[in-house]
Amino acid sequence: LYTGEASIRTSTLISPFTLRQALETRVKRMIGLDYVLDKNKNFIKFRHDFIWDFLKHQDDIIEIDIEIPLSRIYTIYSWTNLSIHTGIIPNIWEVAYAYEYCMPIFKSGQDEKSWNINGVAKIKDLKLLQERFKEALKKEYGKAELFLFNKNPEAMVLKE
């Protein structure tokens, strides 16, 4: 973004959007979600922060092993959303700092026995996590019918 064809002003303008998309995609892939369809096979769109809110209540079966609290990454995520929807262009140093600060969530993970290329999350029970996600989404969006989960979530799966 800072060394390509776009001007520095354009790069600064689009940087919060790319960070938000990267964070959204990371948590979506962390639980293994590809997409959700209704009975007519139309994609279900849900709140951009739905998965974040869902993960806040799953500490018994998912651990996100980073040195900074997930709540702080969520604060930056919310800040990017504010920037996107208000058109306020942040200072270039703020965007650079936000990227640097959030970087741990994009790294690979490890435990005392092994290294995991798929990410920093450790899921104690993948099936239970995905079932809880289905229930939560159906509760908020009743028309959600078909859930497609990837066989390889971006997490260390301790129990499938």
Side-chain angles (χ1 to χ4, degrees), residues 42-158:
N42 297 312
F43 289 98
I44 299 285
K45 290 185 177 185
F46 45 91
R47 274 189 354 259
H48 67 91
D49 59 352
F50 184 85
I51 296 175
W52 290 96
D53 287 342
F54 169 76
L55 286 174
K56 288 178 191 174
H57 308 288
Q58 307 306 316
D59 356 1
D60 62 323
I61 55 173
I62 186 168
E63 177 187 337
I64 300 171
D65 193 19
I66 53 179
E67 59 273 8
I68 55 176
L70 192 60
S71 61
R72 289 213 180 132
I73 291 181
Y74 179 74
T75 300
I76 291 172
Y77 174 81
S78 297
W79 168 77
T80 64
N81 196 50
L82 179 69
S83 175
I84 291 163
H85 291 289
T86 62
I88 296 170
I89 300 173
N91 295 312
I92 193 164
W93 61 267
E94 292 173 311
V95 177
Y97 182 74
Y99 269 88
E100 187 69 30
Y101 192 82
C102 291
M103 219 29 73
I105 201 164
F106 299 108
K107 293 183 177 180
S108 54
Q110 66 183 51
D111 64 12
E112 50 287 335
K113 297 179 193 171
S114 62
W115 175 70
N116 180 30
I117 195 168
N118 292 319
V120 294
K122 294 175 187 168
I123 300 174
K124 297 173 187 169
D125 189 330
L126 180 61
K127 187 174 180 174
L128 178 60
L129 180 69
Q130 291 175 344
E131 286 303 316
R132 285 182 184 176
F133 179 78
K134 287 180 190 180
E135 287 175 27
L137 195 66
K138 284 180 180 182
K139 183 177 180 181
E140 189 159 330
Y141 302 91
K143 57 186 180 176
E145 299 242 347
L146 178 66
F147 293 77
L148 184 65
F149 290 99
N150 191 304
K151 287 188 268 184
N152 300 309
E154 291 184 3
M156 183 180 288
V157 177
L158 305 178

